[in-house]
Structures are given as structure tokens and as C-alpha cells.
């Protein structure tokens, strides 16, 4: 490597890294990140490699890196090399290697990414929404991750939102002592501010800027699966899609099927993938997919090869500007047209790995047994009939690669779903996730609390998995 490009003060969001890789045609990129996990000396730390497309390394690359790592015999440190990360521009060093000189280039963390966003959105329409006669007040929480400079520069300086619209914008090594995870469990400061009714739109970002959460006035919560479906239904509000067209949609298997309803009306194909953005990157590289998302608050399009939190927020602001409705009105109109997908995820974190493994092993044996097919479960006045079950596997339409054992699915005759999955991104020990989904077409039934609607499904999940009995837990660690 003869040239390094680093964000000023060492800060770049993950979407910005993808953007810069593609812009300068770099060989790849290395991201040092805690993502949405706790940071600091006692927290999480990850090394993420991006390939030349700007997307996460596919399995074949990761496996190759691992194999090479086993053959390394030495590494060299240059203790006297000092790089001023605050000074923009090129710094050159003689390291007596084949690259002469070795070049380090410090770039504006926001600039290249901002220029890309200008080519995607109608910034004048968003600016008028935030500053015009019918302006909406917004509240944006950077959660003390890297997004502070982006929020201030783009939403405040460029688009006119008042400076006090942005909170927790100073990047901190430990993110202020809490997980920078944009959900109702951890983004409590934003939730409380939105509940006061002063703000019409709220958003939070995770530490590296690829995940987001949307709130409406009075704390109205938009779950990530609904957000993805609503964005898909309103792509005509975004100049980029009017120009480029829409070729396909993608969602991870645990994400609710709300996107599928929109795709059916729009006559757009949907790709159901394992969890992991690299699967979407492959689809986008091949021209099959224009918009994709995951239930863990990650959404993006083919403008990059990473999920992009700020892009998603600008999409929402564009929709608000075009439709001249509130967040809640847009969501409720969507439910009326397409039906509501009640959805919830329950996380059992920090499990002993062997215990989690055996729970999943025994559960797979149970639900894939022929005797489980067409079984009925009665919970109160509800009766659920099993229609099909499987251990999800994915055949990549690009290269035919088969990815197996990506989660256990139980699909009922009324289209309700239960999904069990081990998380590969937990920062401590093992995490077992349970996803529950129930579809309701009748608008008169759209005002219920998700957990109340889903409680019969959760009762079934707990009964067949015996997770409480086998872990000693009384409930999940996190509910989203």
C-alpha cells in the first residue's frame, strides 16, 4: 500500500468510506469501528474491510484474509512516523519501501459524501421544509458517534436546520457511556424530546452512521421494516430514482414482509437475503437491486454499497416535503393502503454460547420434523396453524453461492411469522434473537400496541424454544 486516505481527525462514517472508495477508485478501505455496540476500553472494537466496490468484503475475501493471517510470521512498526490527522492535505514519508514516497492524505470527512448527496436529492425542497413559512422543527441525535460533523454540516449548515436541532454531536471514544444503538431502548434522550410535541421529526444514528431511527411528533415510532416499505412506496419523491429507475428491492429474511406488499403493487422483484449487507452489495453490483434494508435500522440504495443512515433521513425529509404530511400521517396512510405489519424483535444477549447453540439445535430438530407441519397452537382466542417451516438458506442469483443455516422460520397460514436467529454481531458472548410478525389488513385494527398483538406468537416462541427455562432468564435484554 503506497497511499492512505484518512478522514480529518480520524473520523469517517461508514457510508462516507464507501463513497470515497468509489470516488477515488481505491483498492479497498479499512474501518475501525464499534458499530452500534458499546465503545471504550471495556467495549467493542471491530476491523471491517471494504472491497473496491465500496461494499463489505464477501465471504470469499474474508476467508482468504483469514487463511493469509495464519501464515504471517512478522510485522514491522515505524514508531517515529507521526501523522497530523487534523491538517488537511498530503503528507509524504520515506519508509524505504517500493512505494517512494509513502503518502498519507487527510481529507475533509464530509465533503465528498456531501457532494454525492447533492446529486441525489432536491436540497432546495428539503431546505424549504426546514426554513420556509411552514417549516418543521427537527431533532437529530448523533449519539456521540462519528455523525456529529455530518449532521452539523449537512442538516444545519447546508439545509438550514437550527444549530440546536442537533444533539450529542461530539464524537466520544465511549459514546458517552451508552451503546450508540438507534432504537427505543437506547435513544432515550431523543425519545423524551420528541414526546414533548415541540418537534415534528426526529432521527438518531449509530456510531458509524449506517443505522438510523425515525420518530414523528409526540414520539411516534417508525419501525425499520415500515420505514423501508414507506421509502419504497415514495421513491418518486427522490430525483435520483426518477432518473435512474428502480430495478429491484432487497430485504434481509428477518425483516418484515411490508416491503413485499409495496413491491407487488409496483411490480418490482424482491430479493430475500441472509442478514449482512454484503448480500445486497452483490445484487447492486449486478444491477438487480436499487433499494434494500434490514430490520436492524439499516437502509440504503445503489448510490453506495453500504447502508446509509443520513441518506435515509434525507429520503424521509424529501417525502415530508413532497407530501406535506406529518410522519404519523404518512405512516398511517401507508398502513391503510398496504395493511399493517405488526412486528417486534426480542434480543436475549450475553448468553453462554453452548447454551444458545443447543437451544437452536434442538429447536431446528423440532420444527423441521414432519410431525410439526400443520400443527395448531391455541393461545387464548387465537389459533395459529403452521403452514411451513425451514432453516433458511439463500442461493445467490449472481454467482449461485449457497448460504445455509441463516435462521429458523415458522410461517403460519395467516402469514404470521416467527423467526429464531443467532446474531453474528454481538459484542459479548452470544445473542439469540426472536422475531414476530403479524399482518393486519383492516384499518380499524391498526391502532393496537405491537406487543399486545404479537403476545400470542411470543407465547408460542417461548413454549417451543424453552429459552427462559434453559437460560434462567425472565425476559429479553432488549426489545425493538
Amino acid at each position: 500500500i503506497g497511499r492512505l486516505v484518512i478522514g480529518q481527525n480520524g473520523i469517517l462514517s461508514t457510508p462516507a468510506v464507501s463513497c470515497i472508495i468509489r470516488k477515488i477508485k481505491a483498492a479497498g478501505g479499512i474501518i475501525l469501528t464499534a458499530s452500534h455496540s458499546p465503545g471504550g476500553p471495556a467495549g467493542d472494537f471491530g476491523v471491517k474491510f471494504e472491497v473496491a466496490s465500496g461494499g463489505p468484503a464477501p465471504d470469499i475475501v474474508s476467508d482468504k484474509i483469514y487463511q493469509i493471517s495464519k501464515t504471517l510470521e512478522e510485522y514491522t512498526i515505524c514508531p517515529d512516523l507521526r501523522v497530523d490527522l487534523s491538517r488537511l492535505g498530503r503528507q509524504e514519508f520515506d519508509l524505504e519501501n517500493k512505494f517512494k514516497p509513502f503518502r498519507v492524505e487527510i481529507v475533509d470527512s464530509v465533503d465528498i459524501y456531501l457532494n454525492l448527496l447533492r446529486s441525489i436529492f432536491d436540497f432546495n425542497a428539503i431546505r424549504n421544509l426546514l426554513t420556509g413559512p411552514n417549516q418543521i422543527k427537527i431533532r437529530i441525535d448523533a449519539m456521540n458517534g462519528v455523525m456529529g460533523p455530518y449532521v452539523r454540516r449537512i442538516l444545519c449548515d447546508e439545509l438550514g436546520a437550527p444549530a440546536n436541532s442537533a444533539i450529542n454531536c461530539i464524537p466520544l471514544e465511549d459514546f458517552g457511556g451508552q451503546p450508540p444503538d438507534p432504537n427505543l431502548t437506547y435513544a432515550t434522550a431523543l425519545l423524551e424530546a420528541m414526546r414533548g410535541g415541540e418537534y415534528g421529526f426526529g432521527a438518531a444514528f449509530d456510531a458509524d452512521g449506517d443505522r438510523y431511527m425515525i420518530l414523528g411528533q409526540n414520539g411516534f415510532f417508525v419501525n425499520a421494516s415500515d420505514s423501508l416499505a414507506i421509502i419504497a412506496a415514495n421513491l418518486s419523491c427522490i430525483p435520483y430514482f426518477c432518473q435512474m429507475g428502480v430495478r429491484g428491492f432487497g430485504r434481509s429474511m428477518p425483516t418484515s414482509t411490508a416491503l413485499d406488499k409495496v413491491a407487488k403493487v409496483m411490480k418490482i422483484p424482491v430479493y430475500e437475503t441472509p442478514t449482512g449487507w454484503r448480500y445486497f452489495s452483490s445484487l447492486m453490483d449486478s444491477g438487480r437491486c436499487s433499494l434494500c434494508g434490514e430490520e436492524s435500522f439499516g437502509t440504503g440504495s445503489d448510490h453506495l454499497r453500504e447502508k446509509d443512515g443520513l441518506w435515509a433521513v434525507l429520503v424521509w425529509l424529501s417525502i415530508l416535503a413532497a407530501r406535506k404530511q406529518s410522519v404519523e400521517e404518512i405512516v398511517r396512510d401507508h398502513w391503510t393502503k398496504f395493511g399493517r405489519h405488526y412486528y417486534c424483535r426480542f434480543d436475549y444477549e450475553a448468553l453462554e454460547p453452548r447454551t444458545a447453540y443447543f437451544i437452536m439445535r434442538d429447536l431446528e430438530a423440532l420444527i423441521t420434523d414432519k410431525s410439526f407441519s400443520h400443527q395448531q397452537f391455541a393461545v387464548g382466542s387465537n389459533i395459529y396453524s403452521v403452514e411451513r417451516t425451514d432453516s433458511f438458506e439463500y442461493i445467490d442469483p449472481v454467482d449461485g453461492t449457497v448460504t445455509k443455516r441463516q435462521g429458523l422460520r415458522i410461517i403460519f397460514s395467516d402469514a404470521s411469522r416467527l423467526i429464531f436467529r443467532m446474531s453474528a454481531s454481538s459484542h459479548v458472548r452470544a445473542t439469540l434473537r426472536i422475531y414476530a410478525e403479524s399482518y393486519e389488513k383492516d384499518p380499524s385494527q391498526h391502532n393496537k400496541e405491537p406487543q399486545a398483538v404479537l403476545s400470542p406468537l411470543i407465547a408460542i416462541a417461548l413454549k417451543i424454544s424453552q429459552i427462559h427455562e434453559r437460560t434462567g432468564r425472565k425476559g429479553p435484554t432488549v426489545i425493538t
Side-chain angles (χ1 to χ4, degrees):
I1 302 297
R3 178 187 176 197
L4 297 180
V5 178
I6 303 174
Q8 190 173 24
N9 299 313
I11 289 176
L12 282 174
S13 72
T14 290
V17 172
S18 180
C19 176
I20 293 172
I21 290 171
R22 294 169 66 82
K23 176 71 174 179
I24 69 173
K25 295 180 170 55
I30 299 170
I31 304 172
L32 311 178
T33 176
S35 186
H36 55 294
S37 300
D44 204 23
F45 183 80
V47 181
K48 183 176 180 181
F49 183 66
E50 307 271 71
V51 293
S53 70
D59 289 344
I60 190 171
V61 174
S62 299
D63 292 344
K64 184 68 174 178
I65 291 172
Y66 173 63
Q67 292 302 323
I68 292 174
S69 76
K70 296 194 294 184
T71 68
L72 296 179
E73 296 179 349
E74 63 179 9
Y75 59 89
T76 303
I77 295 175
C78 186
D80 297 328
L81 192 151
R82 294 288 183 266
V83 178
D84 184 354
L85 295 178
S86 67
R87 179 166 61 88
L88 295 175
R90 294 177 177 176
Q91 302 170 51
E92 297 184 345
F93 305 89
D94 181 7
L95 300 186
E96 299 180 356
N97 61 1
K98 66 178 180 178
F99 297 106
K100 295 190 179 290
F102 176 73
R103 178 177 296 162
V104 178
E105 185 175 348
I106 308 302
V107 299
D108 186 305
S109 299
V110 183
D111 195 51
I112 297 175
Y113 173 72
L114 171 56
N115 285 331
L116 174 64
L117 295 181
R118 287 192 182 109
S119 71
I120 295 172
F121 298 100
D122 183 345
F123 269 27
N124 287 330
I126 301 174
R127 190 178 295 110
N128 187 60
L129 175 74
L130 300 180
T131 64
N134 298 312
Q135 64 184 255
I136 185 174
K137 290 188 70 173
I138 67 173
R139 187 79 162 175
I140 309 295
D141 189 347
M143 299 193 81
N144 294 123
V146 303
M147 287 305 291
Y150 297 86
V151 170
R152 285 175 167 163
R153 175 90 168 272
I154 298 172
L155 288 173
C156 298
D157 298 347
E158 183 82 12
L159 295 171
N164 61 6
S165 301
I167 61 174
N168 297 320
C169 284
I170 299 175
L172 301 175
E173 291 181 359
D174 65 349
F175 313 124
Q178 68 171 3
D181 201 348
N183 58 44
L184 296 178
T185 301
Y186 296 119
T188 52
L190 175 67
L191 180 60
E192 287 305 310
M194 295 301 298
R195 281 175 173 164
E198 178 183 356
Y199 303 97
F201 178 87
F205 301 104
D206 75 337
D208 65 332
D210 59 3
R211 289 177 169 88
Y212 71 104
M213 177 180 71
I214 301 296
L215 294 174
Q217 195 166 25
N218 303 315
F220 182 85
F221 172 62
V222 185
N223 79 47
S225 296
D226 278 348
S227 179
L228 174 62
I230 290 166
I231 288 173
N234 290 277
L235 289 179
S236 61
C237 299
I238 314 300
Y240 175 85
F241 292 104
C242 294
Q243 178 182 352
M244 301 296 291
V246 182
R247 291 178 291 278
F249 296 139
R251 66 166 176 83
S252 63
M253 180 273 288
T255 302
S256 96
T257 55
L259 178 66
D260 303 45
K261 299 288 186 183
V262 176
K264 184 176 181 180
V265 171
M266 295 177 67
K267 297 179 180 176
I268 301 289
V270 178
Y271 298 91
E272 185 178 34
T273 73
T275 297
W277 207 260
R278 60 191 182 277
Y279 300 103
F280 296 140
S281 295
S282 174
L283 293 171
M284 289 187 285
D285 285 343
S286 68
R288 287 173 167 83
C289 186
S290 301
L291 172 74
C292 44
E294 299 178 330
E295 52 74 33
S296 55
F297 299 92
T299 304
S301 85
D302 58 357
H303 71 291
L304 292 177
R305 294 298 181 267
E306 273 288 0
K307 46 188 175 282
D308 190 343
L310 186 52
W311 172 90
V313 166
L314 293 178
V315 171
W316 264 96
L317 292 174
S318 299
I319 295 170
L320 291 172
R323 294 186 51 166
K324 296 178 171 54
Q325 292 177 293
S326 69
V327 170
E328 183 171 351
E329 287 170 339
I330 289 169
V331 173
R332 292 194 179 279
D333 279 359
H334 184 89
W335 289 343
T336 298
K337 182 176 181 179
F338 295 100
R340 181 174 183 183
H341 293 254
Y342 286 97
Y343 182 85
C344 211
R345 187 186 88 195
F346 297 79
D347 292 355
Y348 290 83
E349 296 183 325
L351 298 180
E352 201 281 319
R354 282 177 56 83
T355 300
Y357 167 79
F358 285 120
I359 290 173
M360 289 293 288
R361 185 200 65 178
D362 295 346
L363 186 59
E364 180 175 0
L366 173 68
I367 71 165
T368 56
D369 188 274
K370 288 184 179 180
S371 64
F372 195 84
S373 301
H374 308 295
Q375 189 167 335
Q376 289 190 331
F377 293 89
V379 184
S381 60
N382 299 279
I383 298 178
Y384 294 90
S385 299
V386 176
E387 185 172 280
R388 63 187 177 93
T389 65
D390 66 9
S391 175
F392 180 68
E393 68 175 47
Y394 175 67
I395 302 175
D396 194 308
V398 179
D399 60 13
T401 302
V402 179
T403 307
K404 298 184 177 182
R405 304 180 74 90
Q406 294 299 302
L408 304 176
R409 296 190 297 182
I410 304 173
I411 300 171
F412 299 94
S413 58
D414 65 350
S416 296
R417 299 195 308 163
L418 276 175
I419 294 163
F420 301 82
R421 176 178 161 269
M422 291 287 291
S423 172
S425 59
S426 177
H427 58 280
V428 285
R429 307 183 79 186
T431 295
L432 196 156
R433 305 192 196 279
I434 300 176
Y435 309 80
E437 176 182 0
S438 181
Y439 176 68
E440 179 56 68
K441 179 65 176 174
D442 184 357
S444 69
Q445 302 297 312
H446 289 171
N447 292 317
K448 298 180 179 180
E449 284 296 318
Q451 289 187 48
V453 173
L454 297 168
S455 60
L457 283 171
I458 294 301
I460 296 170
L462 296 178
K463 178 181 179 181
I464 63 176
S465 68
Q466 296 186 311
I467 189 169
H468 290 175
E469 293 85 349
R470 298 179 68 168
T471 64
R473 299 286 182 88
K474 294 182 178 179
T477 318
V478 180
I479 301 173
T480 59

